Amino acid sequence: VASGRKIFGMSLGELVTEFINWRAEDVDAGNIIKGRLVTIKSQCRHVLNFKSESLKINELDRHSFYDYEVWRKNNFIGTQSVTVKNEQATINQIIDYAYRKGYAHFAKFEFRKTTIKKDKIGRRSVFSLEEYDKLVRFLRSYSSKKQCADEALRNERLMIRDAVLIASNSMLRVGELWQLKWSDIVAIETRYDEQENAVNLVTINVRAETCKTRTSREVVCRGGEYVERLKKRTKYTDANDYIFA
């Protein structure tokens, strides 16, 4: 009270806002990447959908989020258990923050036990070869002059097409892809495969600060021609310019 802080009258919405601002400081300090903060913000929106943002913190107890998994799966069809598990971890980070600040009288919520099968952990839907071929054919039409007469819009579509193709060949995460700079392109060189066909290989440096695992790595992959044609179409080609700009 002496320091002017709201304690007993603080709402869940105010707590979530303060928590997000606190985590934003971790981005500035290099502890987490911007993509992680975006995920945290998304998770917090679900928190405020489950419980009203006007709900007072002193009305919460350890079992206030006990049925969160059931609510999440019933209201957002297709939500995976591993997703809920990650969201529950963030929810407990929020209440732990509140406890350390003196806003809450407990530091952890109790949740229903969640069982995650080993074959469900980290699984992602992938394109079949037929689906990928269909996607590439569509992108060719999608970015053609016939389908897009406006030059500015077509240039944007061409960038989207090359982003998909570079991602497909490099397996970079989306956040890593968007934060690529021209200085991250180490080299583009032509090699020949076993059938003596020319292959344009590109070497990409993925910086630690853009990587989810906070570890830098070097990727060598096909698709050098996509990077080269991107550079020909853009006016942002300085070393510190973003490739997708």
Side-chain angles (χ1 to χ4, degrees):
V1 174
S3 65
R5 290 191 303 173
K6 287 182 68 177
I7 297 178
F8 299 109
M10 177 176 274
S11 68
L12 182 60
E14 291 170 331
L15 171 61
V16 166
T17 298
E18 188 173 316
F19 173 77
I20 291 173
N21 292 337
W22 176 65
R23 292 313 309 266
E25 294 176 2
D26 283 326
V27 177
D28 298 333
N31 295 329
I32 62 173
I33 60 175
K34 291 180 180 179
R36 175 57 187 158
L37 182 62
V38 171
T39 300
I40 290 171
K41 289 180 178 179
S42 176
Q43 293 170 335
C44 287
R45 284 196 292 272
H46 288 304
V47 170
L48 297 180
N49 283 330
F50 182 68
K51 294 289 184 182
S52 171
E53 62 180 69
S54 62
L55 182 71
K56 299 300 181 183
I57 297 174
N58 58 6
E59 295 180 61
L60 295 171
D61 59 46
R62 285 183 173 84
H63 297 96
S64 292
F65 283 80
Y66 189 78
D67 292 320
Y68 178 79
E69 180 183 14
V70 174
W71 171 85
R72 184 75 165 84
K73 289 182 175 180
N74 286 341
N75 287 274
F76 299 88
I77 306 301
T79 300
Q80 299 296 315
S81 295
V82 66
T83 300
V84 176
K85 196 78 171 177
N86 291 334
E87 291 174 359
Q88 289 174 342
T90 297
I91 292 170
N92 266 339
Q93 286 179 13
I94 294 172
I95 199 63
D96 179 69
Y97 172 83
Y99 179 74
R100 287 185 285 105
K101 284 286 187 177
Y103 304 153
H105 61 278
F106 61 98
K108 186 179 180 180
F109 286 113
E110 297 293 335
F111 300 102
R112 282 192 185 194
K113 186 177 180 180
T114 302
T115 302
I116 303 175
K117 296 180 180 179
K118 288 184 178 180
D119 62 346
K120 293 292 184 180
I121 298 175
R123 286 191 65 181
R124 296 290 186 272
S125 296
V126 296
F127 290 118
S128 66
L129 291 177
E130 292 77 13
E131 288 171 333
Y132 182 70
D133 287 341
K134 185 177 181 180
L135 172 63
V136 172
R137 289 196 299 271
F138 169 77
L139 288 171
R140 194 176 296 127
S141 170
Y142 170 77
S143 58
S144 66
K145 289 183 179 179
K146 182 179 179 181
Q147 294 291 331
C148 193
D150 182 86
E151 185 178 348
L153 181 58
R154 181 167 182 258
N155 193 49
E156 189 174 290
R157 290 188 176 191
L158 288 168
M159 183 180 293
I160 293 170
R161 178 196 65 181
D162 287 337
V164 171
L165 295 173
I166 292 172
S168 302
N169 282 274
S170 66
M171 293 294 129
L172 263 63
R173 299 179 178 92
V174 175
E176 296 169 346
L177 194 72
W178 295 152
Q179 296 182 78
L180 275 183
K181 296 183 178 181
W182 289 110
S183 58
D184 297 323
I185 304 301
V186 179
I188 298 177
E189 54 187 336
T190 302
R191 296 289 182 88
Y192 294 88
D193 61 19
E194 294 176 353
Q195 286 75 41
E196 294 301 316
N197 297 316
V199 179
N200 286 327
L201 297 182
V202 56
T203 303
I204 302 172
N205 175 45
V206 184
R207 288 169 282 123
E209 61 265 28
T210 70
C211 184
K212 181 180 179 180
T213 60
R214 315 302 291 165
T215 305
S216 62
R217 70 184 189 281
E218 199 168 80
V219 176
V220 181
C221 62
R222 291 170 179 260
E225 65 271 23
Y226 308 138
V227 178
E228 288 177 328
R229 70 188 185 192
L230 259 174
K231 197 166 189 176
K232 289 179 180 177
R233 289 198 308 269
T234 183
K235 59 183 178 181
Y236 307 106
T237 57
D238 290 342
N240 286 323
D241 285 337
Y242 290 106
I243 290 177
F244 299 101

